[in-house]
Amino acid sequence: MELTGVFVPMITPFDESGAVAFPALERLAHEVLDAGATGLVALGTTGEPSALTAGERDGVVAVLARVCAAHAAPLIGPPGEGVTAALSLVPPFVRPGPDGVLAHFTALAASSPVPLVVYHVPHRTGQPLDAGTLRRIAGLDRVIGIKYATGALDADAIALLADPPPGFAFLSGDDLFLSPLLALGAAGGILASAHLATDRFVALTRAWHSGDLGAARKLGHALAPLSAALFAEPNPAVIKAVLHAQGRIPTPSVRLPLLPASAAALDAALRHAT
């Protein structure tokens, strides 16, 4: 499995009764793949998995697996039928240290039915990892990539991209830093913002990969304000509000502990979404 291009971590839309709107999810998944996304991510943070029942989570994965199969596209998500690779979070809260994280992924890779994509998001997990540790994790058999979301364009990302491990894909997990990370050699991104302007995020990625620097810089500068606006309030509230305003999902609802996007955040995002 080659991890390159734009992967969209799908929202979970809800209908007027509060139930998961599976038909809307299916339509939205087809839309982003038709617009050029490489693949989808099921039940990432953007999908509000902790607020879903086990049955709802199973239903989301089944819908996205069916859509991906129809497009011959990869699905990243929890291991199961139709899932190509597992998005695996660095162990949160316990802060086991670099050697503990390495041991965790060693054991997980040995038991997983699918390859792993490491999700490194230290502001959520509380566990920082330097480039040397990430390189050790990248060397594990069946670890094929990383979603890198440190909230900064930092020295560890630069060091990792300066000498990337063979067969290991560096994917931006911070939408705002997609363009500079692509310029440094990233393979692509897992981008909640790409629910919107999917084709432009795809074009940005292709422009950097093809060496069209003028187009890449122009697109990067144009898309950064959209990503900033979509993350102005806790994700995915603003994304859902915009998708609802565009008539693509039946409600803008999120589940607690998230709250709906404010009118000001929606207005600001809509200005950049056209």
Side-chain angles (χ1 to χ4, degrees), residues 10-13 20 22 25-26 29 40-44 47 49 52-69 73-85:
M10 298 300 295
I11 63 147
T12 303
V20 175
F22 290 111
L25 175 63
E26 187 164 1
L40 306 178
V41 179
L43 301 178
L52 304 179
T53 67
E56 288 172 333
R57 291 193 293 269
D58 289 345
V60 166
V61 174
V63 167
L64 297 182
R66 183 167 64 247
V67 173
C68 283
L75 175 63
I76 301 173
E81 186 174 354
V83 173
T84 314

PDB file of all heavy atoms in Angstrom, residues 10-13 20 22 25-26 29 40-44 47 49 52-69 73-85:
ATOM      1  N   MET A  10     -13.107  11.121   7.725  1.00  0.00           N
ATOM      2  CA  MET A  10     -14.505  11.477   7.514  1.00  0.00           C
ATOM      3  C   MET A  10     -15.217  11.874   8.809  1.00  0.00           C
ATOM      4  O   MET A  10     -15.056  11.254   9.854  1.00  0.00           O
ATOM      5  CB  MET A  10     -15.243  10.300   6.870  1.00  0.00           C
ATOM      6  CG  MET A  10     -14.715   9.901   5.498  1.00  0.00           C
ATOM      7  SD  MET A  10     -14.807  11.247   4.273  1.00  0.00           S
ATOM      8  CE  MET A  10     -16.583  11.464   4.155  1.00  0.00           C
ATOM      9  N   ILE A  11     -16.026  12.923   8.704  1.00  0.00           N
ATOM     10  CA  ILE A  11     -16.955  13.271   9.773  1.00  0.00           C
ATOM     11  C   ILE A  11     -18.009  12.180   9.889  1.00  0.00           C
ATOM     12  O   ILE A  11     -18.177  11.346   8.985  1.00  0.00           O
ATOM     13  CB  ILE A  11     -17.653  14.618   9.504  1.00  0.00           C
ATOM     14  CG1 ILE A  11     -18.499  14.525   8.223  1.00  0.00           C
ATOM     15  CG2 ILE A  11     -16.673  15.764   9.431  1.00  0.00           C
ATOM     16  CD1 ILE A  11     -19.742  15.354   8.241  1.00  0.00           C
ATOM     17  N   THR A  12     -18.741  12.211  10.993  1.00  0.00           N
ATOM     18  CA  THR A  12     -19.932  11.367  11.147  1.00  0.00           C
ATOM     19  C   THR A  12     -21.151  12.283  11.165  1.00  0.00           C
ATOM     20  O   THR A  12     -21.400  12.968  12.165  1.00  0.00           O
ATOM     21  CB  THR A  12     -19.880  10.558  12.447  1.00  0.00           C
ATOM     22  OG1 THR A  12     -18.693   9.755  12.473  1.00  0.00           O
ATOM     23  CG2 THR A  12     -21.093   9.640  12.555  1.00  0.00           C
ATOM     24  N   PRO A  13     -21.913  12.345  10.067  1.00  0.00           N
ATOM     25  CA  PRO A  13     -23.084  13.240  10.054  1.00  0.00           C
ATOM     26  C   PRO A  13     -24.241  12.640  10.854  1.00  0.00           C
ATOM     27  O   PRO A  13     -24.393  11.418  10.935  1.00  0.00           O
ATOM     28  CB  PRO A  13     -23.433  13.318   8.564  1.00  0.00           C
ATOM     29  CG  PRO A  13     -22.922  12.043   7.988  1.00  0.00           C
ATOM     30  CD  PRO A  13     -21.718  11.659   8.787  1.00  0.00           C
ATOM     31  N   VAL A  20     -27.021   8.555  13.396  1.00  0.00           N
ATOM     32  CA  VAL A  20     -26.025   8.672  12.332  1.00  0.00           C
ATOM     33  C   VAL A  20     -26.731   8.672  10.986  1.00  0.00           C
ATOM     34  O   VAL A  20     -27.557   7.795  10.696  1.00  0.00           O
ATOM     35  CB  VAL A  20     -25.005   7.527  12.404  1.00  0.00           C
ATOM     36  CG1 VAL A  20     -24.043   7.597  11.214  1.00  0.00           C
ATOM     37  CG2 VAL A  20     -24.217   7.593  13.709  1.00  0.00           C
ATOM     38  N   PHE A  22     -26.327   7.691   7.789  1.00  0.00           N
ATOM     39  CA  PHE A  22     -25.472   6.854   6.945  1.00  0.00           C
ATOM     40  C   PHE A  22     -25.569   7.194   5.455  1.00  0.00           C
ATOM     41  O   PHE A  22     -24.546   7.204   4.765  1.00  0.00           O
ATOM     42  CB  PHE A  22     -25.782   5.370   7.181  1.00  0.00           C
ATOM     43  CG  PHE A  22     -25.328   4.878   8.525  1.00  0.00           C
ATOM     44  CD1 PHE A  22     -26.252   4.538   9.510  1.00  0.00           C
ATOM     45  CD2 PHE A  22     -23.982   4.752   8.821  1.00  0.00           C
ATOM     46  CE1 PHE A  22     -25.837   4.078  10.753  1.00  0.00           C
ATOM     47  CE2 PHE A  22     -23.553   4.290  10.058  1.00  0.00           C
ATOM     48  CZ  PHE A  22     -24.484   3.960  11.035  1.00  0.00           C
ATOM     49  N   LEU A  25     -23.367  10.152   4.886  1.00  0.00           N
ATOM     50  CA  LEU A  25     -21.960   9.759   4.980  1.00  0.00           C
ATOM     51  C   LEU A  25     -21.508   9.103   3.685  1.00  0.00           C
ATOM     52  O   LEU A  25     -20.418   9.396   3.170  1.00  0.00           O
ATOM     53  CB  LEU A  25     -21.777   8.796   6.152  1.00  0.00           C
ATOM     54  CG  LEU A  25     -20.381   8.192   6.307  1.00  0.00           C
ATOM     55  CD1 LEU A  25     -19.342   9.264   6.599  1.00  0.00           C
ATOM     56  CD2 LEU A  25     -20.387   7.128   7.417  1.00  0.00           C
ATOM     57  N   GLU A  26     -22.337   8.242   3.135  1.00  0.00           N
ATOM     58  CA  GLU A  26     -21.975   7.553   1.896  1.00  0.00           C
ATOM     59  C   GLU A  26     -21.835   8.537   0.741  1.00  0.00           C
ATOM     60  O   GLU A  26     -20.870   8.471  -0.035  1.00  0.00           O
ATOM     61  CB  GLU A  26     -23.015   6.480   1.569  1.00  0.00           C
ATOM     62  CG  GLU A  26     -22.644   5.614   0.394  1.00  0.00           C
ATOM     63  CD  GLU A  26     -23.463   4.335   0.329  1.00  0.00           C
ATOM     64  OE1 GLU A  26     -24.336   4.130   1.197  1.00  0.00           O
ATOM     65  OE2 GLU A  26     -23.223   3.534  -0.591  1.00  0.00           O
ATOM     66  N   ALA A  29     -18.624  10.573   1.186  1.00  0.00           N
ATOM     67  CA  ALA A  29     -17.434   9.776   0.892  1.00  0.00           C
ATOM     68  C   ALA A  29     -17.218   9.651  -0.617  1.00  0.00           C
ATOM     69  O   ALA A  29     -16.088   9.780  -1.111  1.00  0.00           O
ATOM     70  CB  ALA A  29     -17.561   8.398   1.534  1.00  0.00           C
ATOM     71  N   LEU A  40      -9.722   7.331   2.319  1.00  0.00           N
ATOM     72  CA  LEU A  40     -10.493   7.836   3.445  1.00  0.00           C
ATOM     73  C   LEU A  40      -9.920   7.296   4.748  1.00  0.00           C
ATOM     74  O   LEU A  40      -9.218   6.284   4.765  1.00  0.00           O
ATOM     75  CB  LEU A  40     -11.962   7.397   3.330  1.00  0.00           C
ATOM     76  CG  LEU A  40     -12.687   7.735   2.033  1.00  0.00           C
ATOM     77  CD1 LEU A  40     -14.109   7.176   2.081  1.00  0.00           C
ATOM     78  CD2 LEU A  40     -12.703   9.237   1.784  1.00  0.00           C
ATOM     79  N   VAL A  41     -10.254   7.990   5.841  1.00  0.00           N
ATOM     80  CA  VAL A  41      -9.942   7.523   7.184  1.00  0.00           C
ATOM     81  C   VAL A  41     -11.252   7.393   7.948  1.00  0.00           C
ATOM     82  O   VAL A  41     -12.058   8.329   7.976  1.00  0.00           O
ATOM     83  CB  VAL A  41      -8.995   8.489   7.917  1.00  0.00           C
ATOM     84  CG1 VAL A  41      -8.717   7.991   9.330  1.00  0.00           C
ATOM     85  CG2 VAL A  41      -7.692   8.652   7.137  1.00  0.00           C
ATOM     86  N   ALA A  42     -11.459   6.236   8.547  1.00  0.00           N
ATOM     87  CA  ALA A  42     -12.668   5.979   9.324  1.00  0.00           C
ATOM     88  C   ALA A  42     -12.382   6.155  10.810  1.00  0.00           C
ATOM     89  O   ALA A  42     -11.379   5.654  11.323  1.00  0.00           O
ATOM     90  CB  ALA A  42     -13.168   4.556   9.072  1.00  0.00           C
ATOM     91  N   LEU A  43     -13.275   6.882  11.490  1.00  0.00           N
ATOM     92  CA  LEU A  43     -13.264   6.981  12.947  1.00  0.00           C
ATOM     93  C   LEU A  43     -11.990   7.601  13.501  1.00  0.00           C
ATOM     94  O   LEU A  43     -11.505   7.223  14.567  1.00  0.00           O
ATOM     95  CB  LEU A  43     -13.514   5.602  13.578  1.00  0.00           C
ATOM     96  CG  LEU A  43     -14.843   4.934  13.199  1.00  0.00           C
ATOM     97  CD1 LEU A  43     -14.937   3.555  13.847  1.00  0.00           C
ATOM     98  CD2 LEU A  43     -16.024   5.802  13.593  1.00  0.00           C
ATOM     99  N   GLY A  44     -11.433   8.567  12.748  1.00  0.00           N
ATOM    100  CA  GLY A  44     -10.426   9.423  13.340  1.00  0.00           C
ATOM    101  C   GLY A  44     -11.096  10.418  14.277  1.00  0.00           C
ATOM    102  O   GLY A  44     -12.323  10.394  14.467  1.00  0.00           O
ATOM    103  N   GLY A  47     -14.229  12.054  13.208  1.00  0.00           N
ATOM    104  CA  GLY A  47     -15.449  11.254  13.155  1.00  0.00           C
ATOM    105  C   GLY A  47     -16.155  11.093  14.480  1.00  0.00           C
ATOM    106  O   GLY A  47     -17.156  10.371  14.562  1.00  0.00           O
ATOM    107  N   PRO A  49     -15.478   9.383  17.274  1.00  0.00           N
ATOM    108  CA  PRO A  49     -15.692   7.978  17.613  1.00  0.00           C
ATOM    109  C   PRO A  49     -16.064   7.736  19.069  1.00  0.00           C
ATOM    110  O   PRO A  49     -16.841   6.814  19.371  1.00  0.00           O
ATOM    111  CB  PRO A  49     -14.355   7.315  17.264  1.00  0.00           C
ATOM    112  CG  PRO A  49     -13.355   8.421  17.329  1.00  0.00           C
ATOM    113  CD  PRO A  49     -14.083   9.635  16.838  1.00  0.00           C
ATOM    114  N   LEU A  52     -19.804   7.746  19.685  1.00  0.00           N
ATOM    115  CA  LEU A  52     -20.626   6.785  18.951  1.00  0.00           C
ATOM    116  C   LEU A  52     -20.744   5.483  19.723  1.00  0.00           C
ATOM    117  O   LEU A  52     -19.842   5.102  20.474  1.00  0.00           O
ATOM    118  CB  LEU A  52     -20.008   6.495  17.578  1.00  0.00           C
ATOM    119  CG  LEU A  52     -19.743   7.681  16.654  1.00  0.00           C
ATOM    120  CD1 LEU A  52     -19.112   7.191  15.351  1.00  0.00           C
ATOM    121  CD2 LEU A  52     -21.016   8.463  16.373  1.00  0.00           C
ATOM    122  N   THR A  53     -21.850   4.783  19.516  1.00  0.00           N
ATOM    123  CA  THR A  53     -21.988   3.442  20.075  1.00  0.00           C
ATOM    124  C   THR A  53     -21.158   2.461  19.242  1.00  0.00           C
ATOM    125  O   THR A  53     -20.737   2.769  18.121  1.00  0.00           O
ATOM    126  CB  THR A  53     -23.444   2.984  20.062  1.00  0.00           C
ATOM    127  OG1 THR A  53     -23.869   2.809  18.683  1.00  0.00           O
ATOM    128  CG2 THR A  53     -24.362   4.003  20.745  1.00  0.00           C
ATOM    129  N   ALA A  54     -20.944   1.274  19.785  1.00  0.00           N
ATOM    130  CA  ALA A  54     -20.194   0.259  19.050  1.00  0.00           C
ATOM    131  C   ALA A  54     -20.887  -0.064  17.726  1.00  0.00           C
ATOM    132  O   ALA A  54     -20.233  -0.226  16.689  1.00  0.00           O
ATOM    133  CB  ALA A  54     -20.042  -1.000  19.893  1.00  0.00           C
ATOM    134  N   GLY A  55     -22.217  -0.133  17.749  1.00  0.00           N
ATOM    135  CA  GLY A  55     -22.952  -0.413  16.519  1.00  0.00           C
ATOM    136  C   GLY A  55     -22.813   0.702  15.506  1.00  0.00           C
ATOM    137  O   GLY A  55     -22.691   0.440  14.301  1.00  0.00           O
ATOM    138  N   GLU A  56     -22.826   1.947  15.968  1.00  0.00           N
ATOM    139  CA  GLU A  56     -22.641   3.071  15.055  1.00  0.00           C
ATOM    140  C   GLU A  56     -21.241   3.056  14.451  1.00  0.00           C
ATOM    141  O   GLU A  56     -21.075   3.317  13.254  1.00  0.00           O
ATOM    142  CB  GLU A  56     -22.898   4.383  15.788  1.00  0.00           C
ATOM    143  CG  GLU A  56     -24.368   4.628  16.117  1.00  0.00           C
ATOM    144  CD  GLU A  56     -24.578   5.825  17.012  1.00  0.00           C
ATOM    145  OE1 GLU A  56     -23.657   6.178  17.795  1.00  0.00           O
ATOM    146  OE2 GLU A  56     -25.669   6.426  16.958  1.00  0.00           O
ATOM    147  N   ARG A  57     -20.239   2.765  15.265  1.00  0.00           N
ATOM    148  CA  ARG A  57     -18.873   2.697  14.741  1.00  0.00           C
ATOM    149  C   ARG A  57     -18.755   1.607  13.682  1.00  0.00           C
ATOM    150  O   ARG A  57     -18.144   1.824  12.616  1.00  0.00           O
ATOM    151  CB  ARG A  57     -17.871   2.466  15.879  1.00  0.00           C
ATOM    152  CG  ARG A  57     -17.719   3.655  16.817  1.00  0.00           C
ATOM    153  CD  ARG A  57     -16.519   3.517  17.733  1.00  0.00           C
ATOM    154  NE  ARG A  57     -16.677   2.424  18.675  1.00  0.00           N
ATOM    155  CZ  ARG A  57     -17.212   2.542  19.886  1.00  0.00           C
ATOM    156  NH1 ARG A  57     -17.675   3.709  20.307  1.00  0.00           N
ATOM    157  NH2 ARG A  57     -17.277   1.495  20.697  1.00  0.00           N
ATOM    158  N   ASP A  58     -19.346   0.455  13.944  1.00  0.00           N
ATOM    159  CA  ASP A  58     -19.314  -0.620  12.949  1.00  0.00           C
ATOM    160  C   ASP A  58     -20.006  -0.191  11.657  1.00  0.00           C
ATOM    161  O   ASP A  58     -19.539  -0.498  10.552  1.00  0.00           O
ATOM    162  CB  ASP A  58     -20.001  -1.878  13.501  1.00  0.00           C
ATOM    163  CG  ASP A  58     -19.195  -2.560  14.595  1.00  0.00           C
ATOM    164  OD1 ASP A  58     -17.993  -2.258  14.740  1.00  0.00           O
ATOM    165  OD2 ASP A  58     -19.776  -3.402  15.317  1.00  0.00           O
ATOM    166  N   GLY A  59     -21.112   0.530  11.790  1.00  0.00           N
ATOM    167  CA  GLY A  59     -21.841   0.984  10.616  1.00  0.00           C
ATOM    168  C   GLY A  59     -21.051   1.984   9.799  1.00  0.00           C
ATOM    169  O   GLY A  59     -21.056   1.944   8.557  1.00  0.00           O
ATOM    170  N   VAL A  60     -20.350   2.894  10.475  1.00  0.00           N
ATOM    171  CA  VAL A  60     -19.512   3.874   9.769  1.00  0.00           C
ATOM    172  C   VAL A  60     -18.421   3.162   8.973  1.00  0.00           C
ATOM    173  O   VAL A  60     -18.192   3.463   7.790  1.00  0.00           O
ATOM    174  CB  VAL A  60     -18.902   4.870  10.774  1.00  0.00           C
ATOM    175  CG1 VAL A  60     -17.778   5.670  10.127  1.00  0.00           C
ATOM    176  CG2 VAL A  60     -19.973   5.818  11.298  1.00  0.00           C
ATOM    177  N   VAL A  61     -17.734   2.226   9.600  1.00  0.00           N
ATOM    178  CA  VAL A  61     -16.664   1.505   8.903  1.00  0.00           C
ATOM    179  C   VAL A  61     -17.224   0.732   7.718  1.00  0.00           C
ATOM    180  O   VAL A  61     -16.627   0.717   6.629  1.00  0.00           O
ATOM    181  CB  VAL A  61     -15.917   0.569   9.877  1.00  0.00           C
ATOM    182  CG1 VAL A  61     -14.901  -0.284   9.112  1.00  0.00           C
ATOM    183  CG2 VAL A  61     -15.198   1.371  10.951  1.00  0.00           C
ATOM    184  N   ALA A  62     -18.383   0.099   7.884  1.00  0.00           N
ATOM    185  CA  ALA A  62     -18.976  -0.673   6.789  1.00  0.00           C
ATOM    186  C   ALA A  62     -19.305   0.218   5.596  1.00  0.00           C
ATOM    187  O   ALA A  62     -19.045  -0.149   4.439  1.00  0.00           O
ATOM    188  CB  ALA A  62     -20.229  -1.395   7.285  1.00  0.00           C
ATOM    189  N   VAL A  63     -19.881   1.390   5.861  1.00  0.00           N
ATOM    190  CA  VAL A  63     -20.219   2.316   4.770  1.00  0.00           C
ATOM    191  C   VAL A  63     -18.954   2.771   4.049  1.00  0.00           C
ATOM    192  O   VAL A  63     -18.871   2.747   2.804  1.00  0.00           O
ATOM    193  CB  VAL A  63     -20.996   3.531   5.309  1.00  0.00           C
ATOM    194  CG1 VAL A  63     -21.060   4.640   4.259  1.00  0.00           C
ATOM    195  CG2 VAL A  63     -22.397   3.130   5.721  1.00  0.00           C
ATOM    196  N   LEU A  64     -17.943   3.186   4.802  1.00  0.00           N
ATOM    197  CA  LEU A  64     -16.731   3.706   4.176  1.00  0.00           C
ATOM    198  C   LEU A  64     -15.953   2.604   3.461  1.00  0.00           C
ATOM    199  O   LEU A  64     -15.354   2.855   2.404  1.00  0.00           O
ATOM    200  CB  LEU A  64     -15.866   4.409   5.213  1.00  0.00           C
ATOM    201  CG  LEU A  64     -16.506   5.641   5.869  1.00  0.00           C
ATOM    202  CD1 LEU A  64     -15.546   6.295   6.849  1.00  0.00           C
ATOM    203  CD2 LEU A  64     -16.977   6.651   4.816  1.00  0.00           C
ATOM    204  N   ALA A  65     -15.982   1.394   3.990  1.00  0.00           N
ATOM    205  CA  ALA A  65     -15.326   0.279   3.301  1.00  0.00           C
ATOM    206  C   ALA A  65     -16.012  -0.001   1.971  1.00  0.00           C
ATOM    207  O   ALA A  65     -15.344  -0.276   0.955  1.00  0.00           O
ATOM    208  CB  ALA A  65     -15.338  -0.965   4.181  1.00  0.00           C
ATOM    209  N   ARG A  66     -17.319   0.082   1.947  1.00  0.00           N
ATOM    210  CA  ARG A  66     -18.063  -0.152   0.705  1.00  0.00           C
ATOM    211  C   ARG A  66     -17.742   0.916  -0.337  1.00  0.00           C
ATOM    212  O   ARG A  66     -17.517   0.613  -1.518  1.00  0.00           O
ATOM    213  CB  ARG A  66     -19.559  -0.177   1.004  1.00  0.00           C
ATOM    214  CG  ARG A  66     -20.432  -0.486  -0.202  1.00  0.00           C
ATOM    215  CD  ARG A  66     -21.859  -0.801   0.200  1.00  0.00           C
ATOM    216  NE  ARG A  66     -22.544   0.334   0.815  1.00  0.00           N
ATOM    217  CZ  ARG A  66     -22.921   0.390   2.083  1.00  0.00           C
ATOM    218  NH1 ARG A  66     -22.658  -0.612   2.909  1.00  0.00           N
ATOM    219  NH2 ARG A  66     -23.563   1.448   2.548  1.00  0.00           N
ATOM    220  N   VAL A  67     -17.692   2.167   0.094  1.00  0.00           N
ATOM    221  CA  VAL A  67     -17.378   3.249  -0.835  1.00  0.00           C
ATOM    222  C   VAL A  67     -15.953   3.109  -1.357  1.00  0.00           C
ATOM    223  O   VAL A  67     -15.693   3.266  -2.564  1.00  0.00           O
ATOM    224  CB  VAL A  67     -17.582   4.619  -0.164  1.00  0.00           C
ATOM    225  CG1 VAL A  67     -17.093   5.741  -1.070  1.00  0.00           C
ATOM    226  CG2 VAL A  67     -19.054   4.828   0.195  1.00  0.00           C
ATOM    227  N   CYS A  68     -15.013   2.827  -0.473  1.00  0.00           N
ATOM    228  CA  CYS A  68     -13.623   2.680  -0.903  1.00  0.00           C
ATOM    229  C   CYS A  68     -13.467   1.508  -1.869  1.00  0.00           C
ATOM    230  O   CYS A  68     -12.703   1.601  -2.844  1.00  0.00           O
ATOM    231  CB  CYS A  68     -12.707   2.507   0.315  1.00  0.00           C
ATOM    232  SG  CYS A  68     -12.376   4.050   1.188  1.00  0.00           S
ATOM    233  N   ALA A  69     -14.167   0.426  -1.621  1.00  0.00           N
ATOM    234  CA  ALA A  69     -14.101  -0.717  -2.534  1.00  0.00           C
ATOM    235  C   ALA A  69     -14.602  -0.331  -3.919  1.00  0.00           C
ATOM    236  O   ALA A  69     -14.026  -0.734  -4.944  1.00  0.00           O
ATOM    237  CB  ALA A  69     -14.902  -1.884  -1.974  1.00  0.00           C
ATOM    238  N   ALA A  73     -10.061   2.396  -3.581  1.00  0.00           N
ATOM    239  CA  ALA A  73      -9.306   3.349  -2.766  1.00  0.00           C
ATOM    240  C   ALA A  73      -8.996   2.735  -1.406  1.00  0.00           C
ATOM    241  O   ALA A  73      -9.782   1.935  -0.885  1.00  0.00           O
ATOM    242  CB  ALA A  73     -10.115   4.633  -2.581  1.00  0.00           C
ATOM    243  N   PRO A  74      -7.879   3.102  -0.793  1.00  0.00           N
ATOM    244  CA  PRO A  74      -7.549   2.571   0.526  1.00  0.00           C
ATOM    245  C   PRO A  74      -8.392   3.208   1.622  1.00  0.00           C
ATOM    246  O   PRO A  74      -8.777   4.373   1.539  1.00  0.00           O
ATOM    247  CB  PRO A  74      -6.072   2.921   0.693  1.00  0.00           C
ATOM    248  CG  PRO A  74      -5.858   4.099  -0.201  1.00  0.00           C
ATOM    249  CD  PRO A  74      -6.797   3.935  -1.357  1.00  0.00           C
ATOM    250  N   LEU A  75      -8.660   2.409   2.653  1.00  0.00           N
ATOM    251  CA  LEU A  75      -9.360   2.883   3.845  1.00  0.00           C
ATOM    252  C   LEU A  75      -8.452   2.668   5.052  1.00  0.00           C
ATOM    253  O   LEU A  75      -8.032   1.549   5.332  1.00  0.00           O
ATOM    254  CB  LEU A  75     -10.677   2.131   4.046  1.00  0.00           C
ATOM    255  CG  LEU A  75     -11.447   2.467   5.334  1.00  0.00           C
ATOM    256  CD1 LEU A  75     -11.881   3.928   5.334  1.00  0.00           C
ATOM    257  CD2 LEU A  75     -12.660   1.547   5.486  1.00  0.00           C
ATOM    258  N   ILE A  76      -8.143   3.745   5.756  1.00  0.00           N
ATOM    259  CA  ILE A  76      -7.389   3.685   6.998  1.00  0.00           C
ATOM    260  C   ILE A  76      -8.389   3.773   8.146  1.00  0.00           C
ATOM    261  O   ILE A  76      -9.276   4.623   8.144  1.00  0.00           O
ATOM    262  CB  ILE A  76      -6.371   4.837   7.089  1.00  0.00           C
ATOM    263  CG1 ILE A  76      -5.395   4.776   5.910  1.00  0.00           C
ATOM    264  CG2 ILE A  76      -5.623   4.805   8.399  1.00  0.00           C
ATOM    265  CD1 ILE A  76      -4.458   5.980   5.821  1.00  0.00           C
ATOM    266  N   GLY A  77      -8.253   2.886   9.112  1.00  0.00           N
ATOM    267  CA  GLY A  77      -9.194   2.890  10.218  1.00  0.00           C
ATOM    268  C   GLY A  77      -8.905   1.784  11.196  1.00  0.00           C
ATOM    269  O   GLY A  77      -7.825   1.181  11.169  1.00  0.00           O
ATOM    270  N   PRO A  78      -9.857   1.470  12.064  1.00  0.00           N
ATOM    271  CA  PRO A  78      -9.647   0.369  12.992  1.00  0.00           C
ATOM    272  C   PRO A  78      -9.602  -0.954  12.225  1.00  0.00           C
ATOM    273  O   PRO A  78     -10.326  -1.130  11.236  1.00  0.00           O
ATOM    274  CB  PRO A  78     -10.875   0.435  13.906  1.00  0.00           C
ATOM    275  CG  PRO A  78     -11.908   1.158  13.110  1.00  0.00           C
ATOM    276  CD  PRO A  78     -11.170   2.116  12.239  1.00  0.00           C
ATOM    277  N   PRO A  79      -8.752  -1.888  12.630  1.00  0.00           N
ATOM    278  CA  PRO A  79      -8.650  -3.156  11.888  1.00  0.00           C
ATOM    279  C   PRO A  79     -10.002  -3.835  11.755  1.00  0.00           C
ATOM    280  O   PRO A  79     -10.786  -3.908  12.708  1.00  0.00           O
ATOM    281  CB  PRO A  79      -7.693  -3.993  12.748  1.00  0.00           C
ATOM    282  CG  PRO A  79      -6.886  -2.994  13.496  1.00  0.00           C
ATOM    283  CD  PRO A  79      -7.816  -1.844  13.766  1.00  0.00           C
ATOM    284  N   GLY A  80     -10.287  -4.289  10.568  1.00  0.00           N
ATOM    285  CA  GLY A  80     -11.551  -4.959  10.296  1.00  0.00           C
ATOM    286  C   GLY A  80     -11.724  -5.153   8.810  1.00  0.00           C
ATOM    287  O   GLY A  80     -10.859  -4.787   8.008  1.00  0.00           O
ATOM    288  N   GLU A  81     -12.842  -5.695   8.443  1.00  0.00           N
ATOM    289  CA  GLU A  81     -13.094  -5.996   7.044  1.00  0.00           C
ATOM    290  C   GLU A  81     -13.108  -4.725   6.210  1.00  0.00           C
ATOM    291  O   GLU A  81     -13.783  -3.747   6.540  1.00  0.00           O
ATOM    292  CB  GLU A  81     -14.433  -6.729   6.897  1.00  0.00           C
ATOM    293  CG  GLU A  81     -14.713  -7.207   5.490  1.00  0.00           C
ATOM    294  CD  GLU A  81     -15.955  -8.054   5.405  1.00  0.00           C
ATOM    295  OE1 GLU A  81     -16.543  -8.365   6.446  1.00  0.00           O
ATOM    296  OE2 GLU A  81     -16.355  -8.401   4.290  1.00  0.00           O
ATOM    297  N   GLY A  82     -12.350  -4.738   5.119  1.00  0.00           N
ATOM    298  CA  GLY A  82     -12.305  -3.607   4.212  1.00  0.00           C
ATOM    299  C   GLY A  82     -11.307  -2.532   4.588  1.00  0.00           C
ATOM    300  O   GLY A  82     -11.127  -1.575   3.841  1.00  0.00           O
ATOM    301  N   VAL A  83     -10.645  -2.657   5.738  1.00  0.00           N
ATOM    302  CA  VAL A  83      -9.672  -1.660   6.185  1.00  0.00           C
ATOM    303  C   VAL A  83      -8.287  -2.055   5.687  1.00  0.00           C
ATOM    304  O   VAL A  83      -7.848  -3.187   5.863  1.00  0.00           O
ATOM    305  CB  VAL A  83      -9.680  -1.524   7.717  1.00  0.00           C
ATOM    306  CG1 VAL A  83      -8.552  -0.607   8.184  1.00  0.00           C
ATOM    307  CG2 VAL A  83     -11.026  -0.986   8.189  1.00  0.00           C
ATOM    308  N   THR A  84      -7.599  -1.104   5.043  1.00  0.00           N
ATOM    309  CA  THR A  84      -6.312  -1.373   4.419  1.00  0.00           C
ATOM    310  C   THR A  84      -5.153  -1.205   5.384  1.00  0.00           C
ATOM    311  O   THR A  84      -4.148  -1.911   5.308  1.00  0.00           O
ATOM    312  CB  THR A  84      -6.116  -0.414   3.226  1.00  0.00           C
ATOM    313  OG1 THR A  84      -7.312  -0.389   2.437  1.00  0.00           O
ATOM    314  CG2 THR A  84      -4.956  -0.856   2.349  1.00  0.00           C
ATOM    315  N   ALA A  85      -5.263  -0.220   6.278  1.00  0.00           N
ATOM    316  CA  ALA A  85      -4.220   0.050   7.264  1.00  0.00           C
ATOM    317  C   ALA A  85      -4.874   0.638   8.506  1.00  0.00           C
ATOM    318  O   ALA A  85      -5.937   1.268   8.424  1.00  0.00           O
ATOM    319  CB  ALA A  85      -3.165   1.007   6.721  1.00  0.00           C
TER     320      ALA A  85
END
